[in-house]
Amino acid sequence: MRGDFRLSRGGSIEMKKYAIIDFSLGSISLLIAGAEDGSQEVLFKTYVQCIISEYITHSGKLKEKGIEKICLEAQNIMKSVEKLNVEEIYPISTTLLRNLENRDEVKAAIKERTGLDPVSLSGREEAFAAYYANERYKILEKAILIDIGGSSTEICDYQKAFKEAMVSLDFGAETILAEFVKEVYPSDDEEKDIREFLEKKLSERDLASIGMYENAVLAGSNANALYKIYCDYYEIGKSDERLMQTKKLQKLVKVLMNEKKRSALILRNAPEKLHLILPTAILLKSLLTHYGISNITVSNLGVKEGWFRLQMEKKGKDDNR
């Protein structure tokens, strides 16, 4: 496939490097990717947590302290980028700017402090970028792509791979955490409330019914963190296939709800996602149950890779004019 990604630790000397920076409600993440002769490689990934939900007013306005926090973290990211001799920077915003009442003010502050002018992606644009990075999985039978983010969840039917058919749900792991969980982990009662909320939300949306899909492809950092825990618990070695089973995931959720068993698993595999693992697992379990899916593939590629691939194709067309 033209422009398909390779995962790499190096990249060739001739390969031009590009940076993709994503501003979300919970983090600022960085992808360094290389492009050469129509192919692309993931060279480096990192992110910094930048949770700003406490700085958002009831009217949806981000307070000055929240803006300052974002700008400071973005400046730190830029210090790393400036050392890497990148050809071009593509800044995007998946969820940060999407619903803020003062998004223009926030965007202007980011540009003034960092020189970055992030493109604000709609939910469907985000879903399409995640799909484009993971287009290879359309060979799977009756497959669906799921990307559980902080404040939104994107869903793409591989048989309807056009932007208008993609779904963006207005809740994610951080949304659930803020709405239902008082401490770091949900209690049994809070988990029940989360499940009831998700059942109601999913039944309200015009989503496909049970039996429509057989395979799920998971994208995003939350899913990848959960996969590390899954592999540890079931003693699965490294594999290119990166598979999970819904029944085993359901059992793992029960284990993670047990306060005596979960801490070591989470801290050993995904300490940076300490507060998001259970909301992610509960949400994923609800989606898989809703669709009746048994088989799961976990992808290393997500929105930033898809957006980069789109930009490289656009750049190639412009260069050939």
Side-chain angles (χ1 to χ4, degrees):
M1 187 193 326
R2 181 181 177 274
D4 203 6
F5 269 99
R6 303 190 299 266
L7 297 177
S8 171
R9 293 186 179 180
S12 67
I13 296 173
E14 299 82 9
M15 185 169 272
K16 293 180 179 179
K17 291 184 289 186
Y18 299 83
I20 301 86
I21 300 173
D22 176 25
F23 293 82
S24 74
L25 281 172
S27 67
I28 302 173
S29 54
L30 168 67
L31 167 72
I32 301 296
E36 179 187 22
D37 297 330
S39 65
Q40 293 130 31
E41 286 191 19
V42 175
L43 303 176
F44 175 71
K45 287 182 179 183
T46 190
Y47 76 97
V48 291
Q49 283 190 339
C50 189
I51 301 172
I52 58 164
S53 53
E54 62 183 293
Y55 302 112
I56 299 176
T57 67
H58 291 296
S59 63
K61 183 177 180 179
L62 183 60
K63 298 176 183 177
E64 187 61 38
K65 285 185 178 180
I67 297 175
E68 178 68 17
K69 185 173 183 179
I70 289 168
C71 289
L72 284 173
E73 295 295 358
Q75 286 176 318
N76 290 332
I77 286 281
M78 284 301 294
K79 288 177 183 177
S80 298
V81 173
E82 288 166 0
K83 297 176 182 177
L84 295 171
N85 191 30
V86 300
E87 184 83 8
E88 200 167 348
I89 301 172
Y90 297 106
I92 60 174
S93 169
T94 46
T95 54
L96 173 64
L97 299 174
R98 189 178 298 166
N99 298 314
L100 286 180
E101 188 272 333
N102 60 334
R103 64 179 69 87
D104 291 339
E105 177 188 355
V106 176
K107 187 174 180 180
I110 293 171
K111 187 173 183 180
E112 180 182 354
R113 298 278 292 276
T114 67
L116 299 172
D117 189 13
V119 176
S120 182
L121 304 187
S122 68
R124 282 179 173 170
E125 286 173 328
E126 184 178 348
F128 185 74
Y131 158 75
Y132 214 54
N134 292 287
E135 190 178 15
R136 71 184 73 180
Y137 293 110
K138 66 184 179 183
I139 63 171
L140 295 175
E141 188 75 17
K142 295 182 179 180
I144 187 173
L145 175 69
I146 300 173
D147 185 350
I148 299 174
S151 60
S152 68
T153 298
E154 278 62 51
I155 298 174
C156 169
D157 183 336
Y158 274 98
Q159 302 307 309
K160 301 176 182 177
F162 51 92
K163 199 177 298 183
E164 291 73 21
M166 297 181 182
V167 175
S168 180
L169 304 174
D170 61 353
F171 52 86
E174 287 173 18
T175 312
I176 290 170
L177 182 75
E179 183 72 22
F180 295 98
V181 183
K182 293 180 180 179
E183 305 295 337
V184 176
Y185 301 113
S187 65
D188 290 340
D189 288 340
E190 287 170 341
E191 186 209 10
K192 181 180 177 182
D193 290 341
I194 293 169
R195 285 191 285 103
E196 290 177 354
F197 164 80
L198 292 173
E199 287 171 10
K200 182 174 183 293
K201 281 286 189 178
L202 294 177
S203 65
E204 288 174 353
R205 293 299 300 260
D206 185 21
L207 301 177
S209 58
I210 190 167
M212 285 291 293
Y213 303 108
E214 295 177 4
N215 292 282
V217 178
L218 306 185
S221 61
N222 290 334
N224 274 272
L226 181 60
Y227 175 69
K228 288 181 183 178
I229 295 171
Y230 179 94
C231 289
D232 186 352
Y233 182 72
Y234 288 109
E235 299 181 344
I236 300 171
K238 288 187 177 181
S239 169
D240 291 336
E241 291 185 303
R242 293 167 56 84
L243 304 176
M244 295 197 296
Q245 295 177 6
T246 299
K247 286 185 178 180
K248 288 187 174 181
L249 177 66
Q250 291 170 337
K251 179 182 177 183
L252 179 60
V253 173
K254 292 181 180 179
V255 171
L256 293 174
M257 284 299 299
N258 186 320
E259 60 182 313
K260 293 181 180 179
K261 297 180 179 180
R262 65 186 168 209
S263 294
L265 272 173
I266 295 174
L267 290 173
R268 189 163 57 237
N269 296 284
E272 75 285 359
K273 296 285 186 179
L274 182 73
H275 59 305
L276 295 178
I277 286 296
L278 266 164
T280 298
I282 295 167
L283 174 49
L284 177 58
K285 177 184 170 183
S286 294
L287 284 167
L288 296 172
T289 301
H290 177 83
Y291 288 120
I293 295 171
S294 300
N295 305 308
I296 309 159
T297 300
V298 184
S299 171
N300 272 318
L301 306 177
V303 174
K304 291 187 293 298
E305 288 87 351
W307 187 254
F308 175 64
R309 185 180 170 208
L310 288 166
Q311 301 317 300
M312 289 299 99
E313 293 193 0
K314 180 181 177 182
K315 187 178 179 69
K317 291 176 182 177
D318 290 343
D319 290 345
N320 291 328
R321 284 178 182 174

